[in-house]
Amino acid sequence: MFLGVGAGFLCRNFITDPETLATVTAFVKPIGDIFMRFIFMMVIPLIVSALVMGVSEVGDLTKLGRIGFKLLRYTLIVTAISVFIGLGMVHIFAPGKSLDPAQRAVLLEKFRDKADDVKAKTDMVKGKSIGEIITQIIPKNPLEDMVRAFDPTYTGGGLLSVMVFSLIVGIALSSIDPEKARPFKLFIESLYEIVMKVIGFAMQLAPFGVASLLFTLTVGLGFSIIAVLGKYVFVVIAA
């Protein structure tokens, strides 16, 4: 982190030629992008393998139902508390208010399309009833939900539908003859182990990826953005 910020600060202040600075940034930036892609690449396989394996291991469906009800109740309570804490902290400390107006304008311009997509999706969800939202969570095409899980313009269930699909497959797997379920269980267990190994590869790349991401951020927006980002991180960790 310090190496990335320090190098970015030095390059921003001592490389006066914009073309040279752009060349250096273009050389460093892919390292951070590759690190992030390693992580995102494994999200869907991790969710599917972990949930299918976890649910199928419970075995008894009545026991699974009791666990599921307790988990749902716990999740709703803890989520409500989390939302209350998060909203309270962000209103008290307002970490983004210290952002320089010029930097704010640059960021708004850079991410305007993504912000518009998210707003349109939020407005669409607001117009739906509870029944429609619950129905949408049940995947009509789980492969589409997997492929477009990180697409901000996608109006389907996304990751939530992938989780529901995985739970249903896990329940079905625990309900069939153990001998017939065994090959698929072995496949899921192997997939989980592979996913964890690839995440291990990504963690080895993490120091370089983090340095690259912070270097690019510092070169693009200056050292002051790090202070704002640090305040935001502090608020998140405290909450």
Side-chain angles (χ1 to χ4, degrees):
M1 288 174 65
F2 285 113
L3 179 64
V5 172
F9 177 77
L10 291 173
C11 287
R12 181 180 173 88
N13 287 278
F14 291 100
I15 299 178
T16 54
D17 180 23
E19 193 173 322
T20 304
L21 190 60
T23 302
V24 173
T25 305
F27 179 75
V28 176
K29 187 176 183 294
I31 301 170
D33 293 340
I34 290 169
F35 166 65
M36 293 303 297
R37 283 175 178 266
F38 253 100
I39 299 297
F40 280 113
M41 178 174 64
M42 288 293 107
V43 169
I44 298 298
L46 178 62
I47 289 173
V48 173
S49 59
L51 285 178
V52 171
M53 193 167 64
V55 171
S56 65
E57 287 299 319
V58 174
D60 185 5
L61 287 181
T62 56
K63 184 180 177 182
L64 182 63
R66 289 195 302 272
I67 293 171
F69 177 74
K70 288 178 181 178
L71 182 61
L72 178 63
R73 183 178 60 190
Y74 172 82
T75 302
L76 290 174
I77 292 170
V78 172
T79 302
I81 294 169
S82 300
V83 169
F84 178 77
I85 292 171
L87 289 174
M89 291 288 282
V90 81
H91 279 291
I92 291 168
F93 293 100
K97 277 194 174 179
S98 55
L99 188 64
D100 181 77
Q103 290 179 337
R104 189 189 303 274
V106 170
L107 288 170
L108 284 171
E109 186 61 34
K110 185 177 180 180
F111 297 105
R112 186 177 301 281
D113 291 341
K114 289 184 179 180
D116 290 342
D117 290 338
V118 171
K119 186 178 184 303
K121 188 174 180 180
T122 304
D123 292 340
M124 191 178 294
V125 171
K126 284 181 180 177
K128 292 183 178 180
S129 66
I130 296 295
E132 289 174 324
I133 293 171
I134 293 172
T135 303
Q136 193 177 38
I137 292 171
I138 308 299
K140 185 164 59 176
N141 182 352
L143 291 179
E144 184 180 17
D145 286 303
M146 291 177 190
V147 170
R148 302 189 64 187
F150 302 110
D151 182 356
T153 63
Y154 184 51
T155 56
L159 281 178
L160 200 55
S161 290
V162 175
M163 292 172 72
V164 170
F165 167 75
S166 304
L167 289 171
I168 291 170
V169 171
I171 291 168
L173 191 62
S174 67
S175 306
I176 64 175
D177 180 54
E179 281 303 311
K180 292 181 179 179
R182 181 174 167 75
F184 188 72
K185 273 190 175 182
L186 290 173
F187 166 74
I188 289 294
E189 288 172 6
S190 297
L191 177 61
Y192 179 78
E193 292 298 326
I194 291 168
V195 168
M196 297 310 294
K197 179 60 72 173
V198 174
I199 291 174
F201 295 156
M203 290 301 101
Q204 290 178 357
L205 186 63
F208 306 100
V210 170
S212 168
L213 291 168
L214 287 173
F215 173 87
T216 306
L217 184 68
T218 308
V219 166
L221 294 170
F223 186 74
S224 59
I225 192 69
I226 302 300
V228 178
L229 188 62
K231 186 178 178 183
Y232 169 74
V233 171
F234 172 77
V235 171
V236 170
I237 291 172

